[in-house]
Amino acid sequence: MIDPAASSRGDTPRIGDDPRFTELRAAYRRFVFPVTAAFLLWFLAYVLCSAYARDFMATKVVGSINVALVFGLLQFVSTFGIALAYGRFAARRLDPLAAALRSAAASRPIAPAPAPAGRGGDLEVTENQA
């Protein structure tokens, strides 16, 4: 957890140091990386079949509908399916973690910003600023 005494010592905790943030990133990656890899392989198979397996892709399924058309339409179906699955996953797993982090960040005291280097922290008023 975030150390509440850290701001009194001057070393403001970062949200990235919170174990819940690490858990949020890990959960996101466990979903996104495998699904992205699977979709890219599926898309690559479609492209390679279109380029090198022309006889297979030209096979009629029903009437004038061939395998290539079915595979092409399945690309859209899989894209929408992945979007729906991610939406459900995010609502179930990611959003509660993000809400907990957001409330923890909102309840943290805000440390004063450090003075700009070389200015000593005092602001000079010149005639042009008046």
Side-chain angles (χ1 to χ4, degrees):
M1 291 298 198
I2 296 175
D3 179 12
S7 62
S8 65
R9 290 193 308 261
D11 50 335
T12 305
R14 296 177 335 118
I15 199 75
D17 296 334
D18 193 317
R20 292 173 294 188
F21 182 74
T22 305
E23 182 184 351
L24 176 67
R25 285 180 42 202
Y28 172 78
R29 289 177 177 167
R30 275 192 304 271
F31 180 88
V32 170
F33 288 163
V35 171
T36 301
F39 181 79
L40 288 175
L41 286 173
W42 158 235
F43 181 73
L44 183 62
Y46 171 65
V47 171
L48 290 174
C49 284
S50 294
Y52 298 109
R54 292 186 170 268
D55 292 337
F56 169 69
M57 295 298 266
T59 304
K60 301 282 187 197
V61 177
V62 176
S64 62
I65 298 174
N66 61 15
V67 172
L69 182 61
V70 172
F71 278 15
L73 292 174
L74 285 175
Q75 289 290 318
F76 289 103
V77 172
S78 62
T79 300
F80 290 121
I82 290 169
L84 283 172
Y86 177 76
R88 288 181 163 181
F89 173 78
R92 190 180 73 249
R93 282 278 288 136
L94 302 180
D95 292 348
L97 287 170
L101 280 168
R102 206 174 299 117
S103 67
S107 66
R108 274 197 325 223
I110 298 174
R119 297 210 37 185
D122 294 329
L123 296 177
E124 292 182 28
V125 177
T126 62
E127 291 178 29
N128 294 338
Q129 291 176 338

